[in-house]
Each structure stands twice: as structure tokens, then as C-alpha cells.
Amino acid sequence: MKGDRVEIVIDAGGSSPRTYEITATRAGRRVEVATRRGLVEVSEVTRSGTPVRTARFMSSRILALVEHPADES
């Protein structure tokens, strides 16, 4: 749903962590999170299930993963 977003905070090895944000940018798209073999994959997906963009992170480097659902108002 447009407005869905996921924030990912990564330990990049430097002095401060990095924050990434994946957002469903258009109506009918959603954000999906999948965990596979030590990787976390966050994808923006269309209604038909085609991924529009994907970000992959090593699960050992993730400090926080926060899902923000869209407002239903």
C-alpha cells in the first residue's frame, strides 16, 4: 500500500550507523521483507508481485529493522 515503509539501521563499521529507508512510492505497491541464508532482502513490489527495487543487507550487520505500515485513513 502506498506509504508503507521500512527503515533499516546498519552497522557500517565506522563511527556512526547508516540508516536506509525503502518506501512504497505508488498506489498498489507494497514493501516486503524476506530473510534468507544470512541476508535480509527488502523489496518494493507491484500488485502482480514484480519487484521494482530491492535492497539486500547482511543480517549480522543489521542493528534495527522497523516496519511502518501506511495510515488507513
Side-chain angles (χ1 to χ4, degrees):
M1 172 180 258
K2 182 178 178 179
D4 284 350
R5 68 186 169 103
V6 175
E7 280 183 82
I8 306 101
V9 180
I10 302 293
D11 176 19
S15 61
S16 62
R18 291 186 183 181
T19 302
Y20 296 93
E21 189 173 298
I22 305 293
T23 306
T25 55
R26 293 188 179 182
R29 291 189 181 170
R30 63 187 184 279
V31 178
E32 293 183 348
V33 178
T35 305
R36 298 183 186 113
R37 293 188 181 192
L39 288 177
V40 175
E41 188 175 273
V42 182
S43 300
E44 181 182 359
V45 181
T46 62
R47 286 182 183 146
S48 63
T50 305
V52 176
R53 58 185 168 157
T54 301
R56 292 185 183 99
F57 305 97
M58 291 175 50
S59 60
S60 61
R61 295 287 188 177
I62 294 178
L63 301 175
L65 190 140
V66 183
E67 296 183 43
H68 300 278
D71 295 331
E72 294 191 23
S73 42

